[in-house]
Amino acid sequence: LKLGGYMVLCENNMKSLDIRTREAAVRFVRGLVKGNRDITVNKTPAGLEVWHQTDSGGLLVRKANIDFLVDFLRKRGINLVERRAAMFSEAYVNLPFHALKKIVYWMNEVYFRMRLPPGIAIGNILILRKA
């Protein structure tokens, strides 16, 4: 990144209401129904991490600790200019009916357009600049 250059990141926020409620409930129910308890969520300073093994190799899915990420980048001369909510919830992935999914899509759009606080939103947009 050049001096004065901008970086825009879109990250999933581990502190979101969505992850603290919906994802935890989905993991619990899947464990009960499928007996699948081999999915382990590891909490690291960088966020909540789950490794999935695929035919092509390992895949890391991380819900970021936004505070850690901003501090990590700041120490490298990349400073946060703005943080905003991108999407409030990913609940649509677990909903069976299109009408219900559309309600979540609408809610996400309203949350984004109203520029409501990013701290409880799952999707966060970070606008950063190299000092």
Side-chain angles (χ1 to χ4, degrees), residues 1-112:
L1 191 60
K2 289 183 182 179
L3 190 64
Y6 286 89
M7 176 189 312
V8 178
L9 299 175
C10 189
E11 290 286 340
N12 282 328
N13 174 18
M14 74 177 243
K15 295 179 181 177
S16 71
L17 188 60
D18 195 70
I19 289 174
R20 292 179 182 203
T21 58
R22 183 192 59 83
E23 281 198 11
V26 167
R27 276 193 308 275
F28 177 76
V29 170
R30 281 186 181 153
L32 290 176
V33 173
K34 296 181 180 178
N36 185 1
R37 301 199 188 276
D38 61 345
I39 297 177
T40 304
V41 178
N42 299 309
K43 187 173 183 178
T44 72
L48 303 174
E49 300 178 348
V50 176
W51 281 94
H52 297 278
Q53 194 58 42
T54 70
D55 293 339
S56 302
L59 172 67
L60 170 65
V61 176
R62 177 183 295 133
K63 311 298 187 192
N65 178 341
I66 303 294
D67 295 331
F68 173 87
L69 179 59
V70 168
D71 188 54
F72 178 86
L73 293 168
R74 182 189 50 77
K75 289 176 181 173
R76 286 149 182 84
I78 302 171
N79 299 309
L80 182 66
V81 174
E82 184 178 354
R83 176 181 174 189
R84 62 174 77 160
M87 177 171 52
F88 181 73
S89 174
E90 287 184 337
Y92 56 85
V93 300
N94 302 111
L95 296 172
F97 304 111
H98 186 69
L100 294 174
K101 292 176 189 253
K102 285 186 80 160
I103 292 169
V104 176
Y105 298 149
W106 173 81
M107 182 183 66
N108 283 335
E109 185 175 341
V110 168
Y111 202 89
F112 174 76

Side-chain angles (χ1 to χ4, degrees), residues 108-129:
N108 283 335
E109 185 175 341
V110 168
Y111 202 89
F112 174 76
R113 288 183 187 272
M114 292 184 67
R115 291 190 158 198
L116 295 174
I120 61 169
I122 191 165
N124 276 212
I125 298 171
L126 307 175
I127 302 169
L128 304 119
R129 188 168 190 208

